[in-house]
Amino acid sequence: MKYKAEMHSGRGLTEDNLVFLAQKAFSSSSNNPEDFRNMTISWAQFNRENLPGRNFTFWQWFDGVVELMKKHLKPHWNDGAILGFVNKQQAQDMLLSKPNGTFLLRFSDSEIGGITIAWVAENPNKQGERLVWNLLPYTTKDFSIRSLADRISDLNHLLFLYPDRAKDEVFAKYYTPPLSKPVDGYVKPQIKQVVPEFTTPNPEPSTGVTFMDQTASSSTTHSNSFGVYSSISDNMLDPDGEFDLEDPMDVARHVEELLRRPMANQWSSQQS
């Protein structure tokens, strides 16, 4: 009831979802819904004792899922694109029975308010072997930078949303439109996600566009370095690699060198 109300959606939790939550709350491996029908949960189990091997409680985990979905993923839940309540082993069993490039979205077991993409593909290091891969979980911070749909669009090795839906059929309506032409001589940078082990050539030219690469992790990093300032020379640092701030004149010299604004006459008059 809580989940359905927060989503403002007609799609609530299925019996399989509830069994998953019961397994987590009671640290049980039973798949039989009847085993949980008459069970009660104590306040300590609900929101005082940490889940086994974790540093958070059951309610903290569940509430994190709700917040993530409300803020960023509600349309995808309503579309049925997010399975969510599936553990890593279940995801592996489901995907290995499907063609390469099939993927699903599940909530992270280890991260509060995290969701990960799991997909099946050939092992790049061993021909003929198929493996299920998992990206490090995305969080609200990641989706404030680039949406889930755009991240999925970036990854060319993701082809079918489990069980067999073409990914563009599900997510294309949420893709961000292509960048417009340069304005006043400026080209707008673009953020794009890549997984190096599964990168395929981009069919579209990217001249003049700066990408921010992402490995098998949810955090994006700048792929280019900026040369606005020259690097600090060694003779400006003390043996510990720090500025020597004991002499105010040294501080001024450092500032002068960084800004590259000669002030020789002033230095000579003060030094004399």
Side-chain angles (χ1 to χ4, degrees):
M1 291 173 60
K2 169 71 174 175
Y3 191 87
K4 190 173 181 178
E6 293 287 359
M7 293 299 105
H8 300 289
S9 168
R11 183 189 173 202
L13 299 180
T14 65
E15 187 168 82
D16 287 342
N17 296 155
L18 296 174
V19 168
F20 174 92
L21 292 170
Q23 290 173 334
K24 184 175 288 291
F26 294 108
S27 300
S28 170
S29 59
S30 174
N31 292 314
N32 185 357
E34 296 303 320
D35 291 343
F36 303 106
R37 295 289 184 207
N38 298 318
M39 294 182 68
T40 58
I41 187 168
S42 67
W43 176 252
Q45 289 174 307
F46 187 70
N47 196 29
R48 181 173 295 170
E49 299 170 354
N50 288 341
L51 293 172
R54 307 299 181 197
N55 61 355
F56 47 81
T57 67
F58 169 80
W59 174 250
Q60 288 172 327
W61 181 88
F62 182 76
D63 190 54
V65 165
V66 172
E67 286 300 306
L68 175 72
M69 297 299 292
K70 282 199 306 182
K71 291 179 178 178
H72 298 285
L73 305 179
K74 189 187 301 183
H76 303 303
W77 174 263
N78 292 336
D79 288 347
I82 297 175
L83 286 179
F85 300 99
V86 177
N87 64 40
K88 185 178 289 188
Q89 184 60 53
Q90 289 173 322
Q92 179 170 309
D93 295 341
M94 294 163 70
L95 290 170
L96 283 175
S97 65
K98 298 298 178 181
N100 288 340
T102 303
F103 67 98
L104 59 79
L105 295 152
R106 67 177 187 86
F107 300 129
S108 169
D109 287 318
S110 59
E111 180 103 14
I112 293 178
I115 191 168
T116 186
I117 300 174
W119 73 96
V120 61
E122 295 288 336
N123 183 350
N125 301 316
K126 187 174 182 180
Q127 188 174 3
E129 183 179 57
R130 301 173 77 236
L131 296 174
V132 171
W133 305 78
N134 294 270
L135 278 182
L136 287 177
Y138 299 121
T139 63
T140 291
K141 181 178 179 180
D142 298 305
F143 293 135
S144 66
I145 298 171
R146 188 157 177 79
S147 71
L148 173 65
D150 286 340
R151 290 176 183 273
I152 289 174
S153 174
D154 291 340
L155 301 178
N156 296 329
H157 59 277
L158 302 182
L159 304 175
F160 308 104
L161 179 67
Y162 184 89
D164 55 7
R165 301 167 69 188
K167 75 172 182 182
D168 288 346
E169 173 189 322
V170 181
F171 296 101
K173 60 185 176 181
Y174 301 109
Y175 294 162
T176 300
L179 294 174
S180 59
K181 294 181 179 180
V183 178
D184 297 330
Y186 291 100
V187 177
K188 185 177 181 181
Q190 179 178 337
I191 296 173
K192 187 170 183 178
Q193 173 181 254
V194 298
V195 179
E197 292 84 350
F198 296 91
T199 300
T200 56
N202 191 341
E204 299 179 1
S206 58
T207 303
V209 178
T210 300
F211 292 101
M212 297 170 69
D213 293 340
Q214 179 173 351
T215 62
S217 161
S218 59
S219 62
T220 55
T221 57
H222 290 280
S223 62
N224 60 323
S225 59
F226 298 93
V228 179
Y229 300 105
S230 58
S231 58
I232 299 173
S233 59
D234 291 339
N235 61 4
M236 296 175 63
L237 306 177
D238 64 18
D240 295 324
E242 302 290 343
F243 284 126
D244 181 4
L245 301 181
E246 294 182 359
D247 186 346
M249 294 297 290
D250 286 339
V251 178
R253 289 192 187 94
H254 298 327
V255 173
E256 177 192 346
E257 185 168 345
L258 285 173
L259 296 178
R260 295 183 174 226
R261 295 176 180 173
M263 300 172 63
N265 294 336
Q266 296 185 35
W267 289 126
S268 59
S269 63
Q270 293 186 34
Q271 289 174 334
S272 61

